[in-house]
């Protein structure tokens, strides 16, 4: 394996505003450059350019929803703005960027994450996934270690471009992954990335996370993969509804799997065929992987086509910008960036970052 530039690691502690302030201060230059690059690169991806001013009514609507549903995270967004010297609209824009991008019909197959969970015995419970994004976001990746005042729970989050949440695990032994699925209206609500963070902040098990998830008004359709020492679940969310399936081995890509949601799937036929290929390839590879396989073997499972989506030079096309494997009971996150041959990094709850030597 070759070495690569390490993904930045931030240790954040304090109340909600202080968590955001520390995050913003540490990433101020990067976030300013990101926002100045075509409004967080949205204008490289959208057909009609946008700006924070043009998005004011949309941002106001999102702010109302976030403040009502996840007030701790709303305060953390205000802290992010203060720490990075951003306007509050800019800090919020970073959280709702994917919802502003929306979804478009496209003939390109692309990718949008392949995720699985497998629960064997104790520490062998594993949640792993590719992170497939457009916008060349690998330069915006970071890992956040979060200790909120008054909470005994520590959270590890993989973040991109100032996001307070994306995927991760907590010290209670809960891991959460995410897939894009397309269906129903997208409208102001809680962005799913913030929902992931809310679950990790407040839930200690799959059952608790499903309960909290059912109480949120999500802004857009998603599938979340949940895993703890006892079991796993995926939850598909669309238009204010949730359908969940539990099990010990679960795989999800980017088409709806629950029969209630399948008729509403708006993924085009080309992307759906790609999603089906990735689902089948992942399930087949997972069956061949020993139950006690190390995390690096889970990374390897995800690191070749069709699951791994290479860069073809098109900023509008989704590609694999990171591959992640997590052991929730060990509080361990193992990840590599867009080059799967590079040496993985290990991040652990309660410890500083180390580089994997296995």
């Amino acid at each position: 394996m070759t070495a690569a530039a390490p993904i930045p690691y931030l240790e954040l502690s304090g109340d909600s505003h202080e968590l955001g302030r520390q995050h913003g201060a540490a990433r101020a230059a990067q976030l300013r450059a990101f926002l100045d690059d075509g409004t967080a690169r949205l204008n490289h991806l959208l057909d009609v350019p946008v700006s924070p001013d043009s998005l004011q009514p949309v941002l106001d609507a999102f702010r109302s929803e976030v403040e009502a549903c996840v007030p701790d995270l709303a305060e953390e967004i205000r802290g992010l703005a203060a720490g990075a010297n951003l306007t509050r609209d800019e800090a919020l824009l970073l959280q709702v960027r994917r919802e502003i991008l929306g979804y478009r019909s496209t003939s390109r197959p692309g990718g949008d994450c392949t995720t699985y969970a497998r629960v064997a015995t104790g520490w062998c419970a594993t949640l792993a996934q590719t992170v497939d994004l457009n916008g060349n976001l690998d330069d915006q990746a970071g890992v956040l270690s979060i200790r909120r005042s008054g909470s005994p729970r520590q959270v590890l989050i993989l973040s991109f471009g100032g996001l307070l949440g994306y995927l991760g695990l907590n010290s209670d032994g809960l891991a959460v992954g995410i897939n894009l699925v397309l269906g129903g209206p997208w409208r102001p609500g809680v962005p799913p990335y913030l929902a992931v963070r809310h679950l990790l902040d407040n839930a200690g098990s799959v059952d608790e996370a499903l309960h909290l998830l059912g109480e949120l008004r999500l802004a857009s359709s998603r599938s979340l993969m949940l895993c703890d020492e006892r079991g796993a679940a995926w939850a598909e969310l669309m238009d204010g509804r949730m359908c969940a399936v539990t099990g010990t081995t679960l795989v999800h890509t980017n088409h709806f799997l629950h029969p209630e949601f399948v008729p509403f799937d708006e993924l085009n036929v080309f992307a759906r065929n790609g999603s089906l290929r990735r689902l089948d390839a992942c399930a087949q590879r997972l069956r061949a992987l020993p139950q006690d396989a190390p995390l690096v073997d889970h990374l390897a499972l995800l690191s070749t086509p069709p699951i791994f989506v290479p860069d073809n030079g098109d900023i509008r096309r989704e590609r694999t910008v990171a591959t992640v494997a997590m052991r929730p009971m060990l509080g361990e996150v193992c990840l590599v960036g867009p080059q799967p041959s590079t040496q993985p990094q290990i991040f652990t709850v309660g410890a500083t970052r180390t580089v994997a030597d296995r």
Side-chain angles (χ1 to χ4, degrees), residues 11 51 185 206 219 228 275 296 331 352:
E11 291 184 322
S51 68
V206 169
D228 63 23
S275 182
V296 290
T352 56

Side-chain angles (χ1 to χ4, degrees), residues 156-187:
L156 282 178
I157 285 283
L158 176 63
S159 168
F160 295 89
L163 286 171
L164 305 190
Y166 186 83
L167 64 82
L169 54 74
N170 67 24
S171 55
D172 282 15
L174 172 69
V176 183
I178 190 166
N179 295 81
L180 183 70
V181 287
L182 300 180
W186 286 25
R187 55 197 171 203

Side-chain angles (χ1 to χ4, degrees), residues 118-290:
R118 185 170 70 177
V119 178
T121 56
W123 64 268
C124 286
T126 303
L127 192 155
Q129 73 167 87
T130 58
V131 179
D132 299 347
L133 301 170
N134 60 14
N136 294 343
L137 293 183
D138 41 303
D139 69 333
Q140 295 297 313
V143 172
L144 312 179
S145 171
I146 300 162
R147 293 182 179 272
R148 185 187 299 278
S149 297
S151 172
R153 189 172 287 129
Q154 182 185 356
V155 173
L156 282 178
I157 285 283
L158 176 63
S159 168
F160 295 89
L163 286 171
L164 305 190
Y166 186 83
L167 64 82
L169 54 74
N170 67 24
S171 55
D172 282 15
L174 172 69
V176 183
I178 190 166
N179 295 81
L180 183 70
V181 287
L182 300 180
W186 286 25
R187 55 197 171 203
V190 177
Y193 299 151
L194 289 186
V196 170
R197 172 65 186 284
H198 178 71
L199 299 185
L200 292 172
D201 280 348
N202 295 285
S205 67
V206 169
D207 288 343
E208 290 179 8
L210 288 172
H211 176 74
L212 289 175
L213 197 53
E215 296 178 337
L216 294 177
R217 298 191 297 269
L218 291 197
S220 54
S221 51
R222 285 299 191 286
S223 174
L224 300 188
M225 186 72 75
L226 312 168
C227 179
D228 63 23
E229 66 172 330
R230 292 170 295 279
W234 54 249
E236 295 177 342
L237 300 115
M238 180 195 71
D239 194 18
R241 300 164 57 196
M242 180 176 77
C243 290
V245 167
T246 60
T248 56
T249 301
L250 300 171
V251 181
H252 210 295
T253 50
N254 305 113
H255 57 285
F256 284 115
L257 298 179
H258 198 282
E260 289 189 26
F261 283 175
V262 168
F264 303 99
D265 202 322
E266 295 192 28
L267 198 65
N268 69 75
V269 64
F270 301 98
R272 180 178 176 81
N273 287 340
S275 182
L276 285 165
R277 282 193 296 271
R278 287 183 286 114
L279 185 77
D280 291 343
C282 187
Q284 183 176 359
R285 295 177 188 182
L286 191 55
R287 284 193 293 270
L289 193 69

Side-chain angles (χ1 to χ4, degrees), residues 41 43-47 104 106-111 132-138 309-321:
R41 299 187 189 151
N43 294 336
H44 299 299
L45 307 173
L46 293 168
D47 295 328
R104 298 164 292 134
T106 174
S107 61
R108 296 172 296 184
D132 299 347
L133 301 170
N134 60 14
N136 294 343
L137 293 183
D138 41 303
V309 182
D311 184 8
N312 74 347
D314 182 357
I315 193 173
R316 291 193 171 200
R317 183 177 182 268
E318 292 81 10
R319 62 180 175 88
T320 302
V321 299

